[in-house]
Amino acid sequence: MSSSDATVRVEDRVLKLTNLDKPLYPEFGFTKGEVIDYYTRVAPVLLPHLRDRPVTLKRYPNGVDGKWFFEKNASEHRPEWVRTVRLESPGSSKGNESVNYVMVDELATLVWLANLAALELHVPQWTVGPRGGKRDPDLLVFDLDPGAPATVVECCRVAERVRVVLDDDGVDSWAKTSGNKGMQVYAYAPAKDTSEYAKGVAVRLAREMPELVVSTMAKAQRTGKVLIDWSQNNPAKTTVAPYSLRARERPTVSTPITWDEVEECEVPEDLVFTADEVLERVEVAGDLFGG
C-alpha cells in the first residue's frame, strides 16, 4: 500500500482508499483526499437529498483536466454492501434494457463513490419505492441556463419571476446554484405532469419577458438571455444534486441559497461557493434546501 493509500472504517464498513494525494483540481491543489473529506463532512445534509434516488455519476479519475465519463451502471467491483436497484432504462429504443443504479443510502457508499473520483452526483426528480418501483416525480425543477454574456445575475432575475408564478399557484420554492454558470429553482411537485406544468411556466415567462427569457433550446436565440430548461422534468433526465461538487477549475459546489441571496446578487462571484465555503455555510445555517 502506498503512502497515499489508507484503510478506514466508515461506521460499520471497511474501505480501502487510494491515491489520496492525487490532485483532482490541479489548479486549486484540491486532492482526492480533500474530495473524500468534503463529502464525508457534508453527508448529513447531502444524504437526505440522495436517498431513494438512483444516482448517475460523473467520474474524473485523472482530475478535472482529464477525460471523464458518465456512469449509470454500478461497478461490478463494488463492495457487497452497496445497494443497487435495477430499473428499465428510460429512453431505450427497445423498451427492455435496464440499468443497475447505485443507491446512496449511507455514508460508506458516498465515501466509496468519492474514492472512485465520482466528483459529480446527478439525480432524477423521482424516487424508487421499497420494492424497486419508480414513483411519480415528487420534485419540480426549473434549470436556468444563461447564454453569454448573460450570467447567474440574469438567472437570479428570472428566478425571482419563477418564484412569483409558483407563489401565485400556492407553491413554495427554493433555489440553488448549479455550481457552474447557472442555477435551479425547485418546488415540491404541484401537478402529476411536472414536465407539462414547467413548460407552461417557461413559455409564459418567455412571452412576458422576451428581452431576458427563452423557453426553447435553439442556441441562436439564447445570446444574452436565460433559458428556462423545463425539460429537466423528463423522467429520463437528471440534475446535479444539491451539495454535489462540480468539475470546474475550482472545487465549486451546487449550493442551496436563500431568496435574499438571489435578490441581492449583483455580480457572478456573489453566488460562487467552494467546498470549504459550503461546509462553513452548513455549519452556520444547516440545510437551506427543501423549503
Side-chain angles (χ1 to χ4, degrees), residues 104-158:
V104 187
D105 296 328
E106 58 179 312
L107 175 59
T109 302
L110 187 60
V111 172
W112 172 70
L113 292 178
N115 188 57
L116 295 179
L119 298 183
E120 296 191 8
L121 310 173
H122 295 249
V123 290
Q125 313 314 317
W126 45 268
T127 61
V128 174
R131 291 185 295 277
K134 285 173 59 175
R135 293 172 167 149
D136 288 335
D138 60 328
L139 294 177
L140 170 77
V141 61
F142 297 90
D143 190 17
L144 308 183
D145 187 10
T151 67
V152 74
V153 177
E154 285 73 26
C155 290
C156 285
R157 305 293 82 83
V158 175

Side-chain angles (χ1 to χ4, degrees), residues 150-158 160 181 226 262 265-271:
T151 67
V152 74
V153 177
E154 285 73 26
C155 290
C156 285
R157 305 293 82 83
V158 175
E160 292 173 278
K181 57 184 178 174
V226 174
V262 173
C265 177
E266 295 181 351
V267 295
E269 283 296 311
D270 287 343
L271 293 181

Side-chain angles (χ1 to χ4, degrees), residues 172-174 188 287-291:
D172 288 335
S173 57
W174 55 96
Y188 292 119
D287 184 10
L288 294 175
F289 199 74

Side-chain angles (χ1 to χ4, degrees), residues 6 15 26 31 40 83 89 144-145 167 180 182 218 247 255 263 285:
L15 284 152
T31 65
T40 299
R83 186 165 81 94
S89 178
L144 308 183
D145 187 10
D167 195 52
N180 193 344
T255 308
E263 292 166 9

Side-chain angles (χ1 to χ4, degrees), residues 39 55-60 70 117-122 240 244-248:
Y39 273 125
V55 175
T56 296
L57 312 174
K58 205 170 177 183
R59 290 180 56 186
Y60 292 79
F70 275 113
L119 298 183
E120 296 191 8
L121 310 173
H122 295 249
V240 66
S244 171
L245 287 164
R246 298 308 303 268
R248 308 292 293 168

Side-chain angles (χ1 to χ4, degrees), residues 2-288:
S2 83
S3 60
S4 67
D5 295 349
T7 298
V8 298
R9 179 173 290 277
V10 181
E11 296 173 336
D12 59 346
R13 312 295 191 193
V14 175
L15 284 152
K16 180 181 177 182
L17 308 180
T18 59
N19 299 317
L20 296 174
D21 293 341
K22 186 174 188 176
L24 295 185
Y25 294 82
E27 287 189 32
F28 203 78
F30 202 74
T31 65
K32 189 205 272 194
E34 289 171 298
V35 167
I36 294 170
D37 179 67
Y38 167 74
Y39 273 125
T40 299
R41 293 169 63 192
V42 85
V45 292
L46 168 58
L47 287 174
H49 302 299
L50 300 179
R51 188 163 295 125
D52 296 330
R53 299 185 193 274
V55 175
T56 296
L57 312 174
K58 205 170 177 183
R59 290 180 56 186
Y60 292 79
N62 294 306
V64 297
D65 296 335
K67 290 184 178 179
W68 60 271
F69 57 95
F70 275 113
E71 186 170 78
K72 291 179 180 286
N73 267 306
S75 167
E76 292 182 2
H77 304 294
R78 66 187 179 276
E80 51 86 22
W81 43 261
V82 170
R83 186 165 81 94
T84 63
V85 63
R86 186 170 292 280
L87 298 170
E88 185 176 298
S89 178
S92 166
S93 59
K94 297 179 181 178
N96 58 4
E97 296 178 17
S98 63
V99 173
N100 195 32
Y101 289 95
V102 171
M103 305 297 288
V104 187
D105 296 328
E106 58 179 312
L107 175 59
T109 302
L110 187 60
V111 172
W112 172 70
L113 292 178
N115 188 57
L116 295 179
L119 298 183
E120 296 191 8
L121 310 173
H122 295 249
V123 290
Q125 313 314 317
W126 45 268
T127 61
V128 174
R131 291 185 295 277
K134 285 173 59 175
R135 293 172 167 149
D136 288 335
D138 60 328
L139 294 177
L140 170 77
V141 61
F142 297 90
D143 190 17
L144 308 183
D145 187 10
T151 67
V152 74
V153 177
E154 285 73 26
C155 290
C156 285
R157 305 293 82 83
V158 175
E160 292 173 278
R161 288 290 296 127
V162 171
R163 183 191 186 195
V164 169
V165 172
L166 293 176
D167 195 52
D168 287 346
D169 284 347
V171 179
D172 288 335
S173 57
W174 55 96
K176 68 178 177 70
T177 70
S178 69
N180 193 344
K181 57 184 178 174
M183 63 180 292
Q184 289 101 26
V185 175
Y186 281 75
Y188 292 119
K192 191 171 181 69
D193 191 339
T194 52
S195 190
E196 196 61 32
Y197 178 88
K199 180 180 179 180
V201 173
V203 169
R204 171 184 163 181
L205 292 182
R207 186 175 63 245
E208 293 178 358
M209 308 169 70
E211 75 291 347
L212 189 57
V213 175
V214 293
S215 61
T216 58
M217 299 291 255
K219 288 193 174 181
Q221 301 177 22
R222 291 170 58 185
T223 301
K225 299 183 181 183
V226 174
L227 168 67
I228 301 181
D229 186 358
W230 52 270
S231 75
Q232 290 298 108
N233 295 283
N234 181 322
K237 291 201 173 185
T238 60
T239 307
V240 66
Y243 302 107
S244 171
L245 287 164
R246 298 308 303 268
R248 308 292 293 168
E249 295 82 7
R250 291 182 283 172
T252 55
V253 172
S254 181
T255 308
I257 51 178
T258 68
W259 282 111
D260 284 346
E261 288 177 308
V262 173
E263 292 166 9
E264 293 165 6
C265 177
E266 295 181 351
V267 295
E269 283 296 311
D270 287 343
L271 293 181
V272 177
F273 304 100
T274 60
D276 288 345
E277 292 168 330
V278 168
L279 291 172
E280 290 174 6
R281 288 168 63 86
V282 169
E283 191 171 332
V284 171
D287 184 10
L288 294 175

